[in-house]
Amino acid sequence: MQTDLVKLLEEFPTISLKEMNSVRLMNRIDTKYLTDIETLKRIISSSYGEYMVQEVNGCILSDYVTCYFDTEDYDMYLQHQRGMNNRTKVRVRRYINSDIMFLEVKRRNNKGRTDKCRIQISDSLRMNSEQISFLKDNISYNPYSLIPRLENRFKRITMVNMNKSERLTIDVSITFHNISTQAKLDTGNLVVIELKRNGNTESPIKSILKELMVHPSGFSKYCIGASLTDPLLKQNRFKMKQHYIEKITTN
C-alpha cells in the first residue's frame, strides 16, 4: 500500500519543510474527509498539477506519534461528545522524520475556526515550568490535572496548492493505543484527509473529492480513538462514525 502511494507521489513537485513554514495556517478553517486507500490513489492521481508534496529528509510519507491528554473525568472528550462548539484538545506530537516534538493546544470555536498554538519540547513525559506556564496561558484547565489518555501513530502526506493558500494532509496507517485501558486498534484502510484554509477560498481538491463522492465528515483522532478503545466512555455521538470506520477496516 505504502509503496503504491509513494510511487504516485514521486511524480509531484516537492516543497521543503522550511518552505512549508510559510503555509502554517495556525488559525484556519478545517474540513475533514474519510475514505479508503483505493479511493485515495484516485484522488492523488487526479491532483497532479495542482499540488506540491512536502519532503522531509528525503521522505514524502512522514511518521507521527501523538499523545493526547485529558482530565480525570475526560472533560475534553465529553466537550465533543456533548456537541459543544467551543472545545479544546491538548497533545504532545512528535514528528519522527524531522525529530521534533511539540506541546500543542488546539481550540475550536463556534464559528468553525481552529486555532493552534504550540511550543517545542524535548521530553514528552515531564512537564517543566515553561510547559506549565504555556498551558496556563492557553487552557482553562489546571495543567497538573491533565493525564495522558491516548497515543496514536500514523503516516502523513502533506501537500500544498501551487499558490500556497491551503494545505492538505492525508493520514494513513492510523493506530490507537489507549493508555488507560491498554487496548490497541489498527484502522487498516482508513484514510483521513484534512483541508486547511484561511477562509472559503477556491480549492482544487474540493471538486476532485466531490466527483469521487468523498464528502466532508467530522473526525477527531482523540475522540474516535478513545471511544473505540474504551467501551465505558459515553459515545452515542460517535456511533455512526465508528460503524463507518469498522466497515472500512474490515474490507
Side-chain angles (χ1 to χ4, degrees):
M1 176 267 286
Q2 292 178 23
T3 302
D4 292 343
L5 290 177
V6 170
K7 284 182 179 178
L8 287 171
L9 292 165
E10 283 176 343
E11 301 298 319
F12 284 70
T14 59
I15 181 170
S16 70
L17 183 60
K18 183 177 180 180
E19 292 173 303
M20 187 65 87
N21 284 337
S22 64
V23 203
R24 292 172 69 194
L25 305 179
M26 301 298 275
N27 186 294
R28 67 206 185 208
I29 294 176
D30 295 345
T31 310
K32 294 180 181 178
Y33 305 82
L34 303 182
T35 188
D36 55 43
I37 291 295
E38 288 306 311
T39 305
L40 174 61
K41 292 176 185 177
R42 296 170 64 191
I43 293 168
I44 291 174
S45 296
S46 299
S47 302
Y48 183 78
E50 300 284 0
Y51 290 88
M52 298 176 280
V53 62
Q54 178 179 282
E55 185 177 59
V56 180
N57 295 330
C59 296
I60 52 181
L61 196 59
S62 298
D63 291 284
Y64 286 58
V65 179
T66 308
C67 181
Y68 291 92
F69 293 76
D70 209 333
T71 61
E72 181 71 33
D73 58 357
Y74 284 92
D75 192 68
M76 295 183 207
Y77 173 89
L78 292 173
Q79 283 181 344
H80 204 142
Q81 156 65 23
R82 295 178 186 128
M84 296 175 65
N85 290 321
N86 292 299
R87 50 186 187 257
T88 302
K89 297 289 189 305
V90 176
R91 68 192 187 192
V92 169
R93 173 162 286 177
R94 185 179 176 192
Y95 300 76
I96 302 297
N97 298 75
S98 53
D99 195 26
I100 299 173
M101 187 159 44
F102 291 96
L103 172 61
E104 302 181 340
V105 173
K106 285 185 71 175
R107 294 180 295 248
R108 182 179 174 88
N109 66 27
N110 57 10
K111 296 181 180 178
R113 296 195 72 90
T114 300
D115 172 70
K116 184 171 79 172
C117 54
R118 64 186 187 180
I119 56 170
Q120 190 169 345
I121 61 175
S122 57
D123 189 340
S124 62
L125 300 178
R126 294 183 180 180
M127 290 278 187
N128 60 29
S129 58
E130 180 188 10
Q131 291 160 229
I132 294 295
S133 178
F134 167 77
L135 290 174
K136 285 181 176 178
D137 288 342
N138 290 286
I139 63 174
S140 58
Y141 302 94
N142 179 350
Y144 295 102
S145 71
L146 302 183
I147 302 168
R149 288 297 192 185
L150 183 81
E151 181 183 85
N152 93 295
R153 296 171 180 262
F154 57 94
K155 293 183 179 291
R156 171 167 287 184
I157 301 158
T158 301
M159 306 177 81
V160 60
N161 62 336
M162 292 303 185
N163 63 9
K164 299 182 181 179
S165 63
E166 69 177 37
R167 275 197 305 156
L168 190 67
T169 60
I170 303 168
D171 297 341
V172 300
S173 301
I174 303 168
T175 63
F176 297 108
H177 171 215
N178 192 305
I179 297 168
S180 300
T181 67
Q182 291 301 306
K184 296 181 180 180
L185 177 70
D186 185 335
T187 63
N189 287 318
L190 178 67
V191 176
V192 179
I193 299 172
E194 187 169 4
L195 174 61
K196 308 174 184 186
R197 298 176 290 160
N198 277 329
N200 291 312
T201 56
E202 287 294 322
S203 170
I205 199 67
K206 289 190 74 174
S207 58
I208 294 169
L209 293 169
K210 184 176 181 180
E211 184 177 341
L212 294 173
M213 293 185 291
V214 179
H215 306 295
S217 176
F219 184 86
S220 162
K221 287 191 183 74
Y222 172 55
C223 291
I224 296 299
S227 68
L228 287 169
T229 55
D230 188 346
L232 297 180
L233 289 173
K234 292 181 179 179
Q235 48 192 272
N236 57 295
R237 190 176 187 85
F238 307 123
K239 286 293 186 183
M240 288 184 64
K241 205 79 62 183
Q242 291 172 346
H243 293 325
Y244 180 71
I245 292 167
E246 287 168 5
K247 181 180 177 181
I248 290 176
T249 56
T250 55
N251 285 341

